[in-house]
Amino acid sequence: MLNITLRQLHSIQAISRFGKISNAAKVLGLTGPAVTLQLKQLEDTLGISLFDRTSSGMRLTAAGELTLECADRIV
C-alpha cells in the first residue's frame, strides 16, 4: 500500500501550476524546503521522477502528468 498524503498531492498541483517550488511554497503557506521534501517523498514512494528540473523552472514528466491527473481527481 502506498502512503501518499494530501499535502504531497497539493504540492504537485502547486508546483505544476506555478512552475517553481518557491512560488508553490508561498501559495501553500509552506517553506521551499518543506515543498521539496513533499515532492521527494512522493517521488520516492512512486519510484519515478515527476518533474524535470530546469533553469527556468519545473516541468512535468509524462509520469508527472498522469500523477497530476490523479491528484486533481482525488483532491
Side-chain angles (χ1 to χ4, degrees):
M1 180 171 183
L2 298 177
N3 293 318
I4 297 173
T5 66
L6 285 175
R7 182 165 278 181
Q8 292 168 342
L9 298 180
H10 287 295
S11 293
I12 187 177
Q13 288 177 316
I15 295 167
S16 69
R17 187 172 301 123
F18 298 104
K20 294 189 177 188
I21 288 178
S22 59
N23 295 342
K26 288 178 189 175
V27 170
L28 295 170
L30 300 170
T31 63
V35 174
T36 300
L37 180 62
Q38 295 300 321
L39 176 59
K40 182 180 180 341
Q41 289 173 341
L42 182 57
E43 288 178 329
D44 289 348
T45 298
L46 297 175
I48 54 175
S49 179
L50 300 176
F51 289 92
D52 288 323
R53 284 109 171 124
T54 68
S55 59
S56 61
M58 307 283 279
R59 305 278 180 241
L60 283 168
T61 61
E65 289 180 21
L66 292 172
T67 304
L68 178 62
E69 287 178 28
C70 292
D72 289 340
R73 290 180 185 173
I74 291 168
V75 173

